[in-house]
PDB file of all heavy atoms in Angstrom:
ATOM      1  N   ASP A  29     -26.169 -25.609 -41.808  1.00 97.00           N
ATOM      2  CA  ASP A  29     -25.986 -24.183 -41.995  1.00 97.00           C
ATOM      3  C   ASP A  29     -26.695 -23.684 -43.252  1.00 97.00           C
ATOM      4  O   ASP A  29     -27.235 -22.596 -43.247  1.00 97.00           O
ATOM      5  CB  ASP A  29     -24.477 -23.875 -42.104  1.00 97.00           C
ATOM      6  CG  ASP A  29     -23.723 -24.236 -40.852  1.00 97.00           C
ATOM      7  OD1 ASP A  29     -24.253 -24.000 -39.732  1.00 97.00           O
ATOM      8  OD2 ASP A  29     -22.597 -24.791 -40.969  1.00 97.00           O
ATOM      9  N   ALA A  54     -41.486 -23.360 -54.819  1.00 97.00           N
ATOM     10  CA  ALA A  54     -40.611 -23.633 -53.667  1.00 97.00           C
ATOM     11  C   ALA A  54     -40.094 -22.341 -53.062  1.00 97.00           C
ATOM     12  O   ALA A  54     -40.041 -22.214 -51.833  1.00 97.00           O
ATOM     13  CB  ALA A  54     -39.465 -24.566 -54.066  1.00 97.00           C
ATOM     14  N   MET A  67     -32.717 -23.744 -56.224  1.00 98.00           N
ATOM     15  CA  MET A  67     -31.997 -23.630 -57.490  1.00 98.00           C
ATOM     16  C   MET A  67     -32.415 -24.738 -58.414  1.00 98.00           C
ATOM     17  O   MET A  67     -32.568 -25.864 -57.994  1.00 98.00           O
ATOM     18  CB  MET A  67     -30.469 -23.727 -57.255  1.00 98.00           C
ATOM     19  CG  MET A  67     -29.913 -22.745 -56.269  1.00 98.00           C
ATOM     20  SD  MET A  67     -28.187 -23.101 -55.990  1.00 98.00           S
ATOM     21  CE  MET A  67     -27.483 -22.294 -57.400  1.00 98.00           C
ATOM     22  N   ILE A  85     -26.258 -35.071 -49.199  1.00 97.00           N
ATOM     23  CA  ILE A  85     -27.540 -35.124 -49.885  1.00 97.00           C
ATOM     24  C   ILE A  85     -28.599 -35.396 -48.831  1.00 97.00           C
ATOM     25  O   ILE A  85     -28.424 -36.296 -47.977  1.00 97.00           O
ATOM     26  CB  ILE A  85     -27.569 -36.258 -50.949  1.00 97.00           C
ATOM     27  CG1 ILE A  85     -26.502 -36.019 -52.015  1.00 97.00           C
ATOM     28  CG2 ILE A  85     -28.977 -36.358 -51.564  1.00 97.00           C
ATOM     29  CD1 ILE A  85     -26.313 -37.207 -52.935  1.00 97.00           C
ATOM     30  N   GLU A 111     -16.940 -39.554 -51.298  1.00 94.00           N
ATOM     31  CA  GLU A 111     -16.986 -38.527 -50.219  1.00 94.00           C
ATOM     32  C   GLU A 111     -18.362 -37.980 -49.967  1.00 94.00           C
ATOM     33  O   GLU A 111     -18.576 -37.224 -49.035  1.00 94.00           O
ATOM     34  CB  GLU A 111     -16.028 -37.393 -50.581  1.00 94.00           C
ATOM     35  CG  GLU A 111     -14.575 -37.826 -50.600  1.00 94.00           C
ATOM     36  CD  GLU A 111     -13.610 -36.680 -50.843  1.00 94.00           C
ATOM     37  OE1 GLU A 111     -14.043 -35.505 -50.768  1.00 94.00           O
ATOM     38  OE2 GLU A 111     -12.441 -36.973 -51.138  1.00 94.00           O
ATOM     39  N   ALA A 119     -40.413 -38.768 -42.791  1.00 84.00           N
ATOM     40  CA  ALA A 119     -41.535 -37.870 -42.876  1.00 84.00           C
ATOM     41  C   ALA A 119     -42.327 -37.896 -41.565  1.00 84.00           C
ATOM     42  O   ALA A 119     -42.442 -38.959 -40.949  1.00 84.00           O
ATOM     43  CB  ALA A 119     -42.437 -38.272 -44.032  1.00 84.00           C
ATOM     44  N   ALA A 127     -47.874 -37.667 -51.588  1.00 90.00           N
ATOM     45  CA  ALA A 127     -47.023 -37.897 -52.738  1.00 90.00           C
ATOM     46  C   ALA A 127     -47.474 -36.907 -53.825  1.00 90.00           C
ATOM     47  O   ALA A 127     -48.683 -36.730 -54.047  1.00 90.00           O
ATOM     48  CB  ALA A 127     -47.143 -39.325 -53.239  1.00 90.00           C
ATOM     49  N   GLY A 142     -55.848 -28.844 -50.203  1.00 94.00           N
ATOM     50  CA  GLY A 142     -55.364 -27.846 -49.244  1.00 94.00           C
ATOM     51  C   GLY A 142     -54.664 -28.429 -48.029  1.00 94.00           C
ATOM     52  O   GLY A 142     -53.898 -27.740 -47.367  1.00 94.00           O
ATOM     53  N   VAL A 145     -50.768 -29.217 -49.564  1.00 96.00           N
ATOM     54  CA  VAL A 145     -49.903 -28.170 -50.167  1.00 96.00           C
ATOM     55  C   VAL A 145     -50.348 -26.805 -49.651  1.00 96.00           C
ATOM     56  O   VAL A 145     -51.437 -26.655 -49.104  1.00 96.00           O
ATOM     57  CB  VAL A 145     -49.984 -28.198 -51.717  1.00 96.00           C
ATOM     58  CG1 VAL A 145     -49.432 -29.501 -52.272  1.00 96.00           C
ATOM     59  CG2 VAL A 145     -51.403 -27.995 -52.221  1.00 96.00           C
ATOM     60  N   LYS A 156     -53.784 -24.622 -63.482  1.00 90.00           N
ATOM     61  CA  LYS A 156     -53.407 -25.611 -64.485  1.00 90.00           C
ATOM     62  C   LYS A 156     -54.582 -26.497 -64.900  1.00 90.00           C
ATOM     63  O   LYS A 156     -54.711 -26.859 -66.069  1.00 90.00           O
ATOM     64  CB  LYS A 156     -52.275 -26.541 -63.974  1.00 90.00           C
ATOM     65  CG  LYS A 156     -50.931 -25.862 -63.969  1.00 90.00           C
ATOM     66  CD  LYS A 156     -50.268 -26.009 -65.315  1.00 90.00           C
ATOM     67  CE  LYS A 156     -48.816 -25.672 -65.225  1.00 90.00           C
ATOM     68  NZ  LYS A 156     -48.164 -25.734 -66.546  1.00 90.00           N
TER      69      LYS A 156
END
Side-chain angles (χ1 to χ4, degrees):
D29 298 319
M67 305 175 81
I85 300 169
E111 294 184 14
V145 295
K156 284 275 195 182

